[in-house]
Amino acid sequence: MRILHTGDWHLGRTLEGRSRLEEQEQFIDELVALADEQQADLIMMAGDVYDSVNPPAAAEQLFYEAAARLTEGGRPMVVIAGNHDQPDRVSSVRPLVAARGLTLIGAPVAETVTVSIPRTGETAKIAALPYPSEARLNELLGGDGDEDQLRRAYSERVGHLMSLMAREFSPHTVNLAMSHIYVLGGVECDSERPIQVGGAYTVDPSALAVGACYTALGHLHRAQAVKGDGLIRYSGSPLAYSFSEAGQAKSVTMVDVAPGGTPVVEEIFLRSGRPLVRWKAKGGLEEVYRWLDEGRDPDAYIDLEISLTEAMGMADIQRLRKSRDGIIHIRPVYPEMEALLLETERSQLPLPEIFRKFYQRQTGGGEPEEHLVNLFLELVEEEDADSGEVLAK
């Protein structure tokens, strides 16, 4: 059978107030076309259908239209709730859509889905586990708040649920697993909120060693394989949802497998959506205007960093905004700031203290207000996170 693995659609998501719905509609059109061209027998959607627990009506309409198109002709589709989804909202219409082959699972219960594939005469058994937070599991996993203890307990709980579902696996079926979790070793992006990625809610790959030949994961937006028992893979998001994903090629995953066989995996790259790019203009505003005149990255959303020696005026900012509607961020960088960051690398002093010394030097002895110190630290943390993401690529 041929399985199309996708996830992290985040329907309804915006970028700094800009709607991505048109791009998401383009992705759905492309996905439906791919499913037909690739002769997909089964669609596995690994969570985060929506970007919030209360999505706009247009996002819900887009999902149900997509599901109707993907299941047309009797093709089965299995969807689980992610951490951004409201479990009951995802599964509320389950009785209405089950007859057309659409299985919606909201709560993280031990539920094995059985799917028959008419084209091949094969059967798939899917251990499907929606996002299993403590609240959704309705149980406290760590008593004293110790993160290591909670991580171990959480991983064990996920492994236990997977094992319960795997009891229905058979040598005569295609045995699959699917969840929306952070597996140790995965590389995350800024578009997943840090509190929800990694930390105590980290699953050891051994928890997924239940006999599935392929494990379809959602949660991380970079398409990637994770080391573990069998093939474990994140399909990634279909669109770039933060500038930490700039330059990433988005894709879906096709899996070809027979009962007892080894899966053949193919990553199919997508064309939908506007790219997210970073411009670093060392030559100042003149360089930016030259790039705009040359038509550089005409359809992209742009994170712009400009090296300047003098403060940028509102007229320049407004001119840039009018020149290209895709410019999202404009960040001026001054020599003093670059020197401060260099001094930070060489100094043993804490970063807040270095900033205070810099501020005093620039103002003749003034003491910065606490909110300025905090703002500077946030900017540095953002830059560090972006650098780490680039290195991880």
Side-chain angles (χ1 to χ4, degrees), residues 113-382:
V113 180
T114 301
V115 176
S116 298
I117 305 300
R119 185 183 67 84
T120 65
E122 298 165 342
T123 299
K125 295 283 187 178
I126 308 172
L129 182 67
Y131 179 67
S133 66
E134 282 188 301
R136 297 186 186 187
L137 290 169
N138 197 28
E139 59 183 289
L140 186 64
L141 297 174
D144 60 3
D146 178 76
E147 185 171 299
D148 289 337
Q149 181 184 356
L150 176 55
R151 184 183 294 114
R152 288 192 299 270
Y154 181 71
S155 191
E156 289 172 2
R157 183 61 175 141
V158 168
H160 176 67
L161 290 171
M162 284 293 186
S163 296
L164 287 177
M165 291 183 282
R167 290 177 180 178
E168 296 191 31
F169 287 174
S170 161
H172 308 294
T173 58
V174 172
N175 302 316
L176 305 166
M178 176 166 63
S179 192
H180 192 89
I181 50 177
Y182 177 79
V183 176
L184 188 65
V187 179
E188 66 266 23
C189 302
D190 290 348
S191 51
E192 273 299 341
R193 301 178 183 113
I195 194 171
Q196 296 167 330
V197 177
Y201 284 173
T202 300
V203 176
D204 190 276
S206 62
L208 303 177
V210 294
C213 65
Y214 181 81
T215 300
L217 296 180
H219 200 18
L220 300 187
H221 289 187
R222 178 194 293 272
Q224 58 191 288
V226 178
K227 292 182 179 179
D229 182 65
L231 283 172
I232 305 172
R233 184 171 176 83
Y234 287 95
S235 64
S237 62
L239 302 178
Y241 286 120
S242 82
F243 284 100
S244 67
E245 299 173 60
Q248 287 185 18
K250 296 300 183 177
S251 62
V252 296
T253 303
M254 283 298 306
V255 182
D256 200 316
V257 63
T262 300
V264 177
V265 175
E266 179 184 4
E267 186 176 9
I268 300 180
F269 294 100
L270 300 168
R271 300 184 301 273
S272 307
R274 296 175 65 170
L276 271 61
V277 301
R278 282 195 168 103
W279 286 4
K280 292 193 176 184
K282 298 293 185 181
L285 283 167
E286 182 179 341
E287 184 172 35
V288 178
Y289 291 132
R290 185 174 73 251
W291 289 343
L292 290 170
D293 290 340
E294 293 170 354
R296 180 178 180 180
D297 298 319
D299 299 321
Y301 289 118
I302 301 166
D303 177 81
L304 176 58
E305 181 181 291
I306 315 174
S307 295
L308 299 171
T309 56
E310 298 181 356
M312 180 187 295
M314 284 302 300
D316 289 316
I317 295 175
Q318 291 173 356
R319 181 183 172 188
L320 285 173
R321 296 286 189 197
K322 291 179 180 179
S323 298
R324 182 75 65 81
D325 67 352
I327 295 178
I328 304 297
H329 301 138
I330 300 175
R331 291 199 314 279
V333 177
Y334 301 100
E336 295 86 354
M337 187 65 69
E338 293 178 330
L340 174 62
L341 293 174
L342 181 61
E343 183 179 347
T344 301
E345 295 176 359
R346 297 174 177 174
S347 174
Q348 300 297 317
L349 290 174
L351 185 55
E353 185 60 30
I354 292 175
F355 178 76
R356 289 189 175 91
K357 289 178 65 178
F358 166 77
Y359 187 90
Q360 291 167 357
R361 187 166 66 242
Q362 294 297 111
T363 61
E367 184 69 22
E369 295 182 11
E370 195 63 28
H371 78 275
L372 287 177
V373 178
N374 293 334
L375 178 60
F376 173 74
L377 293 176
E378 289 174 7
L379 291 172
V380 172
E381 288 175 2
E382 179 180 323

